[in-house]
Every structure is written in C-alpha cells, then in structure tokens.
Amino acid sequence: ANIKAYETLTNHGTALDAIELGINETELDPTIRTVGYGGYTDHRGEVTLDACIMDHLGNAGSVVYLKDIKKPISVARKIMENSQHVMLAGNGAQEFALKHGFKKENILHAQSKADWTSWIQNKPKLKNLINEDNHDTITMLTLDSNGNLAGGSSTSGLRYKLHGRVGDSPIIGSGIFVDNSIGAAGATGQGEEIMKTVGSFLIVEL
Ligand code: GLY
C-alpha cells in the first residue's frame, strides 16, 4: 500500500489518489485478513466491509456494512464525489456502487470460510481477543506536493463480530480526520474504544 501510494505521489497524483490506490492494494490482497477480500467474517460467516476517505477541503465519503464489492475505499470516494451524502450503508451502499460501475463479486475467500467453519465448531473454547492475529485495519494519511493532506481507512472489522457491528473505520473523526491547516490522524485497533473518544478528530484538534 505504501509503495503504491508513494508511486502515485511521485507521479504527480494527488494525496487523495494516493490514498485510494494505496488502500486498494491491501483491499485486494487476500493474505491480509482484516481488510477487503480475504477478510475475516462476522459471526454468521459473512464478510462486511467499512471504509472512509477525507480530502484537504474537508470533503468526506464513507461506506458501512458493504457486501460483495471488492474496493470499499473507492466506493467511499465515489460517494464523496458523486452524491450529496457522506455515508451510505448496507444494501443502499451496494446499490450505489453497482450504479457507479463496481461489480458484484464474491468477497468470501475460501480461507475465510474455512476459518469461520472451524471457529463455529470450536467457539466455546475461543475468546474473541484483540491481539496480533485479530487486529486490524488499514489507515493511511498522505501529503502531496501541493501541501494537501488526505486520509483513508478500510477494514473488514473485528473477526467474528456480531452481525451488523460497525467499528470506527468508516466514522469520520473516529477512523480518520483531516484538517489541512493542522494535520491528519488515523486509527487502527479496537473500534469500540476509538469511537467513544472520536479519537482521530480529538488528536488533530488538540
Ligand atoms: N478498527 C477497526 C474496527 O474496529 O473495526
């Protein structure tokens, strides 16, 4: 993700382009188990994705509980640039994505399905601990040669989360925050804790 973002910036891409293209790399990589395709499932065995993006002007886009679409950060950018809204969720988010040229694809990787099946069978013995194997998210902040900042975040959320659970990553101010006159911050980790403080906003503004 960093290599792609860096290449984008050095080829005169904007901070926002670097965010989108950098994060896409991670979203499409099935070996990264907490973001995009190949992400861990929720407790029902479904992969649901959250992402958000913010530019140097304070524009923002966000997608929540997105299913069967492989590039949630790109959908978030589309919402920011091609709708009057900031956040779209669930079926509405998917409908918007399909209308804007995204394809419906299976984002449940065979490994994610196998892991979920094994978790269901062994559930009583396992705790859903936050640790190196059950963590995390990509959050990225960029600064381009025009002095403009951008930020983005994308995640499949907490492994075996309750169906419908949403973390900090798609919440502007929690998952990321950009204030071009000050700086930018982004969060990874347990979304429930980050949301309670609107952590990224608080860091930038303090
Ligand atoms: N930080 C990602 C999440 O909690 O979903």
Side-chain angles (χ1 to χ4, degrees), residues 1-8 18-27 29 32 138-140 142:
N2 284 334
I3 290 167
K4 187 72 183 176
Y6 186 74
E7 279 171 9
T8 306
I19 292 292
E20 181 182 4
L21 296 174
I23 290 180
N24 282 164
E25 291 286 307
T26 304
E27 290 175 332
D29 182 346
I32 297 172
I138 179 168
T139 184
M140 179 180 269
T142 52

Side-chain angles (χ1 to χ4, degrees), residues 51-54 59-63 76-77 79-80 85-87 170 172:
C52 76
I53 195 162
M54 191 167 187
N59 297 311
S62 161
V63 71
R77 182 172 181 177
I79 292 167
M80 177 174 94
H85 307 303
V86 169
M87 181 181 275
I172 302 297

Side-chain angles (χ1 to χ4, degrees), residues 50 136-137 155 157-158 165 167-169 187-192 194:
D50 300 331
D136 211 299
T137 297
T155 191
L158 196 61
R165 178 264 189 193
D168 61 306
S169 301
T188 63
Q190 189 164 1
E192 283 73 8
I194 299 158

Side-chain angles (χ1 to χ4, degrees), residues 12-203:
H12 308 291
T14 64
L16 200 67
D17 295 333
I19 292 292
E20 181 182 4
L21 296 174
I23 290 180
N24 282 164
E25 291 286 307
T26 304
E27 290 175 332
L28 296 176
D29 182 346
T31 66
I32 297 172
R33 308 300 312 284
T34 55
V35 179
Y37 176 54
Y40 285 112
T41 69
D42 67 8
H43 82 136
R44 280 195 194 172
E46 285 188 65
V47 179
T48 64
L49 305 175
D50 300 331
C52 76
I53 195 162
M54 191 167 187
D55 74 8
H56 64 290
L57 298 172
N59 297 311
S62 161
V63 71
V64 178
Y65 190 80
L66 182 68
K67 293 202 262 187
D68 301 330
I69 303 280
K70 277 192 176 166
K71 295 180 181 174
I73 194 76
S74 299
V75 180
R77 182 172 181 177
K78 216 31 127 186
I79 292 167
M80 177 174 94
E81 293 179 339
N82 292 74
S83 84
Q84 297 179 331
H85 307 303
V86 169
M87 181 181 275
L88 290 179
N91 291 343
Q94 192 191 71
E95 198 178 293
F96 178 90
L98 296 176
K99 267 193 192 145
H100 286 82
F102 293 84
K103 276 192 296 193
K104 197 165 173 179
E105 293 178 274
N106 177 22
I107 58 166
L108 178 64
H109 191 272
Q111 189 61 51
S112 304
K113 193 170 177 183
D115 289 342
W116 176 75
T117 305
S118 152
W119 176 73
I120 284 289
Q121 283 159 5
N122 297 296
K123 202 164 51 165
K125 292 184 231 146
L126 299 174
K127 286 189 182 152
N128 198 15
L129 294 176
I130 305 294
N131 57 35
E132 279 184 15
D133 298 326
N134 188 19
H135 178 279
D136 211 299
T137 297
I138 179 168
T139 184
M140 179 180 269
L141 308 170
T142 52
L143 173 64
D144 65 26
S145 55
N146 293 319
N148 289 328
L149 289 164
S153 185
S154 185
T155 191
S156 52
L158 196 61
R159 180 170 55 169
Y160 313 134
K161 61 192 176 185
L162 286 182
H163 189 64
R165 178 264 189 193
V166 173
D168 61 306
S169 301
I171 312 288
I172 302 297
S174 290
I176 55 159
F177 193 70
V178 176
D179 181 336
N180 219 46
S181 64
I182 301 171
T188 63
Q190 189 164 1
E192 283 73 8
E193 298 309 318
I194 299 158
M195 290 160 81
K196 288 181 214 167
T197 59
V198 197
S200 294
F201 173 79
L202 194 63
I203 287 165

